[in-house]
Amino acid sequence: MESSEKRKPRPTAEMTLQLERESAAEIARPCSERRAAFVVIGGLDVGDTILFAEDRATLIGRDAECDGVIRDDGISRRHARVCRDESGAFVIEDLGSTNGVFVDGTRIERHRLAEGDKVLLGKRTILKFVMQDKLDLVFQRQMYESSIRDALTGAFNRRHFDEVLAAELSFAKRHGVSVTLAVIDLDHFKKVNDAWGHQAGDQVLQSVARTIMEVLRHEDVFARYGGEEFTVFARGITAVGGLALGERLRAEVEGMVIRARGDARIPVTISVGVCTVPGGQDVAAADLLKQADVNLYAAKAAGRNRVVATALRIG
């Protein structure tokens, strides 16, 4: 791939939807301390929570290194920050964003937050300032994760992916950024279920998802799109980089070792259809998905366990 940005651990369904019994008992004890946070109540990431840092400013924007990363094409890379003033109160500051920061309808440069304040960033993302205890925050995070992730694999679900794809394509057009979509399908997956059972099939899906997530950058969007079909959306990747990404995913999956009962190895390979849109092109999500699908079927027709990549040009 064409970026060396440090990868960050990604949550899995197990991590986000369950609590260890000891952890749950600890969290459920009476707690007088409340933490400050934003809850997203409008925009693409409704239900998400941005917990404020205790010992430094909390950065909010599109940049993957921000504490609160928001996918909204109207939000700047580093849009705003929240810090404490001399009295200990939380203050939000605009960091010179293009579309501004609004609190309860008024554009601000700096504003001391009060519980319940509604903050508009960009065109459509609305944040609500709250003070919550640990149990509230854990519950809020779990509810959000369960709404956007596939429970089996921990990848994003199809609904969330479709929403993100539309927003990312709009951003890419406005900013002249090339984007790449990869559609991934497990080869002969039915044979896995028939030979080793559906439990082994679930194990294969989980292992493939985990392997792919370890390859991707934090800002790449990975989803389970169907039964044994996954998608990856990557921003800032050219056609050459898109082919390299597809090949790396294919090779990593082929190299996995998955054992079934009796210590038998389950062979797993994938076919990948990759489509790249050069910077500045106006393309509909349906057209991009269609071309990536065409490339996927070409990979399968050519013998499977391979990658077919093309660029999509409009007009």
Side-chain angles (χ1 to χ4, degrees):
M1 297 182 65
E2 298 177 359
S3 171
S4 59
E5 289 189 31
K6 183 179 179 181
R7 297 183 201 123
K8 299 179 181 178
R10 293 165 178 263
T12 63
E14 254 183 55
M15 291 166 58
T16 56
L17 302 183
Q18 299 180 16
L19 289 172
E20 296 287 344
R21 179 175 297 177
E22 294 80 4
S23 299
E26 177 67 26
I27 291 171
R29 290 193 181 100
C31 178
S32 59
E33 181 184 0
R34 297 197 299 166
R35 294 289 303 276
F38 278 138
V39 175
V40 183
I41 62 172
L44 186 62
D45 297 308
V46 168
D48 196 6
T49 303
I50 301 171
L51 186 64
F52 295 174
E54 292 284 338
D55 56 352
R56 57 179 174 79
T58 300
L59 293 176
I60 301 171
R62 286 185 58 92
D63 194 299
E65 297 304 314
C66 286
D67 303 287
V69 180
I70 300 177
R71 294 182 180 274
D72 180 338
D73 63 356
I75 288 180
S76 300
R77 290 178 62 83
R78 296 194 170 207
H79 197 100
R81 70 178 177 187
V82 176
C83 54
R84 289 184 183 270
D85 65 12
E86 61 281 354
S87 70
F90 287 98
V91 174
I92 186 169
E93 299 175 342
D94 189 346
L95 295 179
S97 65
T98 301
N99 292 316
V101 176
F102 295 78
V103 177
D104 293 334
T106 302
R107 185 163 186 168
I108 59 93
E109 297 298 325
R110 190 173 189 272
H111 174 83
R112 180 182 290 188
L113 291 165
E115 190 162 4
D117 275 351
K118 295 178 178 62
V119 179
L120 171 66
L121 303 181
K123 298 177 179 178
R124 56 184 174 180
T125 298
I126 303 174
L127 312 175
K128 182 178 180 179
F129 176 60
V130 298
M131 299 291 294
Q132 295 182 328
D133 64 27
K134 192 173 183 179
L135 182 58
D136 288 331
L137 292 169
V138 169
F139 175 75
Q140 186 76 40
R141 167 53 55 179
Q142 290 185 336
M143 290 296 291
Y144 174 66
E145 292 290 341
S146 67
S147 74
I148 66 172
R149 292 194 180 273
D150 171 59
L152 177 66
T153 64
F156 288 123
N157 58 35
R158 178 170 180 166
R159 178 189 61 79
H160 186 71
F161 182 84
D162 286 340
E163 291 174 351
V164 170
L165 180 60
E168 287 286 352
L169 289 177
S170 175
F171 176 87
K173 176 190 172 185
R174 288 177 54 213
H175 295 273
V177 178
S178 61
V179 295
T180 291
L181 174 68
V183 178
I184 303 158
D185 193 73
L186 274 67
D187 297 325
H188 303 299
F189 183 68
K190 184 177 184 300
K191 292 182 179 179
V192 174
N193 285 326
D194 291 344
W196 287 284
H198 289 280
Q199 186 172 356
D202 287 348
Q203 181 186 351
V204 167
L205 289 170
Q206 290 171 327
S207 297
V208 169
R210 189 179 307 115
T211 296
I212 290 174
M213 284 191 275
E214 288 173 353
V215 171
L216 300 176
R217 304 170 301 178
H218 181 71
E219 67 267 30
D220 297 332
V221 186
F222 173 60
R224 185 181 179 190
Y225 211 65
E228 64 266 23
E229 187 173 272
F230 296 93
T231 51
V232 173
F233 180 88
R235 193 195 316 155
I237 304 293
T238 64
V240 172
L243 176 60
L245 170 60
E247 284 291 350
R248 182 170 183 196
L249 296 178
R250 185 203 61 75
E252 291 284 345
V253 171
E254 185 181 27
M256 294 189 320
V257 177
I258 303 176
R259 300 291 182 184
R261 58 181 180 272
D263 206 36
R265 178 174 177 173
I266 302 176
V268 181
T269 61
I270 57 174
S271 297
V272 186
V274 179
C275 185
T276 297
V277 181
Q281 295 284 316
D282 184 10
V283 59
D287 292 334
L288 180 57
L289 283 162
K290 181 179 178 180
Q291 186 57 55
D293 254 339
V294 168
N295 293 347
L296 170 64
Y297 284 106
K300 286 186 170 293
R304 294 182 168 83
N305 190 24
R306 64 194 63 215
V307 180
V308 172
T310 62
L312 179 64
R313 294 187 179 275
I314 305 299

